[in-house]
Amino acid sequence: MTDKRETDLLVPDEGLVPASTVLPGAAGPMQEASKPPRSQWLDVWDQFKTHKGALFGAFIFFFIMGSVYLGPLVWRIDPQYLPQGRDFITLRDTRPIWYALFDSGAKVDWSHPLGTDNLGRDTLARMMFGGRVSIAVGLTAMLLALFLGTLVGVLAGYVKKLDGPLMRLTDLFLALPLLPLILVASLLFREALSANFGPEGGIFILIVMLIGVTSWMPTARIVRGDVLAIKEREFVLAARSIGTTNRNLILRHVLPNVLSPIMVSATLGIATAIITESALSFLGFGFPPDFPTWGRLLNDGVDRLASYPERSILPGIMISLTVLSVNYLGDGLRDALDPRIRGR
């Protein structure tokens, strides 16, 4: 026979709600908790969108990239074509078409909207070809400088015995006069590389190597400082305590957390490489005279700057716009990738 006390224990509490029933007030929080986690890259994009200068820089940079790489598919004039005979007299030294707006006697040709040089070569085609070369040099030299700087920075920050020697090597490279060093190296190795890889290929390899080898030091210092801080964090110490090898610690835990300064250094490195290549070409130590780059076009226009100023102004504007847009892009990436700034 069941006792009344036991019967009371068997009676369910009327205040309890079955698990299948969802309270109206608790539906919102439960649904929010069940949502998948938000991607970190979406947060980066949201922060990047708030930087108007970075959006402007990204638009200008990708517009220039598209123009110089896709433009020749539409504008099919050979940038190295030299007109012969009567065409040479007709096409040489034509002005951009906007000169016809205020000078009815200006020598313009509507088939060459930016005019031609003193040999009759199309300026627009040469600008697009020169932009391809200058941007390719900038991107390739940036990748080389980024690889060297990241390697030296990670080794110096993670391996204590290598910190002193590698940082003194970095200080030594920072103390060198880079432009005279590049000029001397260009004179020493130009002929050997041109003989093995051709005039254009040899100069391309030489300029990329010289710019990359002399531009890795700021990246190395930034990466070293971040690695020194990250290797003492709790998640790295926990990974080390369970027997994770140094190689896996660097590749899986340290490097992913220094991507932010590396990406910012990459954008700024492009601008530095483009300016250096333009300076070398302007001084006559770059590509051959018949191989147009923005720096070479700038140099070619100096001799007749008073008569044809647009020949130096146009490549100068393209160099300035590219460098300015890349700097704005790097500024926005720095803010977007820094978790301390993100969300402000």
Side-chain angles (χ1 to χ4, degrees), residues 267-323:
T267 56
L268 300 179
I270 296 174
T272 303
I274 290 176
I275 290 177
T276 306
E277 184 277 326
S278 300
L280 287 175
S281 297
F282 180 77
L283 295 174
F285 291 89
F287 289 92
D290 59 340
F291 195 79
T293 67
W294 284 341
R296 170 61 64 181
L297 293 175
L298 201 65
N299 183 27
D300 292 343
V302 170
D303 294 336
R304 309 180 73 181
L305 184 61
S307 302
Y308 300 91
E310 69 275 4
R311 294 182 186 175
S312 293
I313 291 175
L314 290 176
I317 289 176
M318 295 305 297
I319 294 171
S320 301
L321 282 178
T322 305
V323 171

Side-chain angles (χ1 to χ4, degrees), residues 142 144-159 163 166-167 170 215-232 250-251 253-266:
M142 175 271 296
L144 177 59
L146 212 63
F147 171 76
L148 294 176
T150 303
L151 179 64
V152 172
V154 169
L155 290 178
Y158 194 83
V159 183
D163 189 14
L166 289 178
M167 284 300 99
T170 304
S215 305
W216 56 268
M217 297 80 71
T219 303
R221 283 189 157 187
I222 294 172
V223 171
R224 171 188 173 270
D226 283 359
V227 170
L228 286 174
I230 289 171
K231 75 174 186 178
E232 302 299 332
I250 292 174
L251 294 179
H253 299 283
V254 176
L255 268 182
N257 286 280
V258 296
L259 280 180
S260 171
I262 289 176
M263 292 180 67
V264 174
S265 297

Side-chain angles (χ1 to χ4, degrees), residues 105-123:
K107 184 182 179 181
V108 298
D109 189 332
W110 290 89
S111 61
H112 301 280
L114 294 185
T116 57
D117 63 1
N118 59 326
L119 297 178
R121 295 173 294 189
D122 183 72
T123 302

Side-chain angles (χ1 to χ4, degrees), residues 3 44 102 104 117 126 159 177 179 247 293 310 326:
D3 188 42
V44 171
F102 52 85
S104 59
D117 63 1
R126 287 168 61 80
V159 183
L179 188 57
R247 178 176 177 273
T293 67
E310 69 275 4
V326 168

Side-chain angles (χ1 to χ4, degrees), residues 48-342:
F48 184 81
K49 288 190 298 184
T50 62
H51 198 297
K52 304 302 181 184
L55 288 178
F56 170 78
F59 173 77
I60 295 296
F61 181 68
F62 287 112
F63 177 77
I64 293 174
M65 288 273 291
S67 299
V68 300
Y69 282 100
L70 301 179
L73 299 178
V74 179
W75 193 257
R76 296 181 175 274
I77 297 178
D78 186 358
Q80 297 178 331
Y81 171 72
L82 293 174
Q84 304 294 327
R86 187 180 298 274
D87 290 339
F88 175 76
I89 300 174
T90 305
L91 293 178
R92 69 188 300 264
D93 289 332
T94 60
R95 311 303 293 266
I97 56 176
W98 61 77
Y99 272 81
L101 298 176
F102 52 85
D103 185 3
S104 59
K107 184 182 179 181
V108 298
D109 189 332
W110 290 89
S111 61
H112 301 280
L114 294 185
T116 57
D117 63 1
N118 59 326
L119 297 178
R121 295 173 294 189
D122 183 72
T123 302
L124 178 57
R126 287 168 61 80
M127 288 280 292
M128 289 189 291
F129 188 87
R132 277 208 310 273
V133 176
S134 296
I135 292 177
V137 168
L139 291 174
T140 313
M142 175 271 296
L143 290 176
L144 177 59
L146 212 63
F147 171 76
L148 294 176
T150 303
L151 179 64
V152 172
V154 169
L155 290 178
Y158 194 83
V159 183
K160 189 175 181 180
K161 293 181 180 179
L162 297 178
D163 189 14
L166 289 178
M167 284 300 99
R168 300 296 77 75
L169 178 65
T170 304
D171 294 337
L172 174 63
F173 270 84
L174 285 172
L176 292 175
L178 297 184
L179 188 57
L181 179 66
I182 291 175
L183 295 178
V184 172
S186 176
L187 288 175
L188 291 176
F189 301 106
R190 174 188 293 267
E191 297 297 332
L193 289 173
S194 297
N196 292 325
F197 300 100
E200 293 84 9
I203 298 302
F204 181 86
I205 294 173
L206 176 62
I207 291 178
V208 167
M209 292 293 293
L210 290 176
I211 296 175
V213 169
T214 57
S215 305
W216 56 268
M217 297 80 71
T219 303
R221 283 189 157 187
I222 294 172
V223 171
R224 171 188 173 270
D226 283 359
V227 170
L228 286 174
I230 289 171
K231 75 174 186 178
E232 302 299 332
R233 298 282 295 275
E234 291 81 1
F235 65 91
V236 177
L237 297 178
R240 185 182 289 115
S241 67
I242 62 175
T244 306
T245 62
N246 289 328
R247 178 176 177 273
N248 288 334
L249 275 175
I250 292 174
L251 294 179
R252 296 184 181 181
H253 299 283
V254 176
L255 268 182
N257 286 280
V258 296
L259 280 180
S260 171
I262 289 176
M263 292 180 67
V264 174
S265 297
T267 56
L268 300 179
I270 296 174
T272 303
I274 290 176
I275 290 177
T276 306
E277 184 277 326
S278 300
L280 287 175
S281 297
F282 180 77
L283 295 174
F285 291 89
F287 289 92
D290 59 340
F291 195 79
T293 67
W294 284 341
R296 170 61 64 181
L297 293 175
L298 201 65
N299 183 27
D300 292 343
V302 170
D303 294 336
R304 309 180 73 181
L305 184 61
S307 302
Y308 300 91
E310 69 275 4
R311 294 182 186 175
S312 293
I313 291 175
L314 290 176
I317 289 176
M318 295 305 297
I319 294 171
S320 301
L321 282 178
T322 305
V323 171
L324 186 64
S325 63
V326 168
N327 284 334
Y328 272 119
L329 184 61
D331 193 28
L333 283 177
R334 181 195 61 198
D335 294 346
L337 292 171
D338 191 344
R340 294 168 297 183
I341 300 177
R342 197 185 310 147

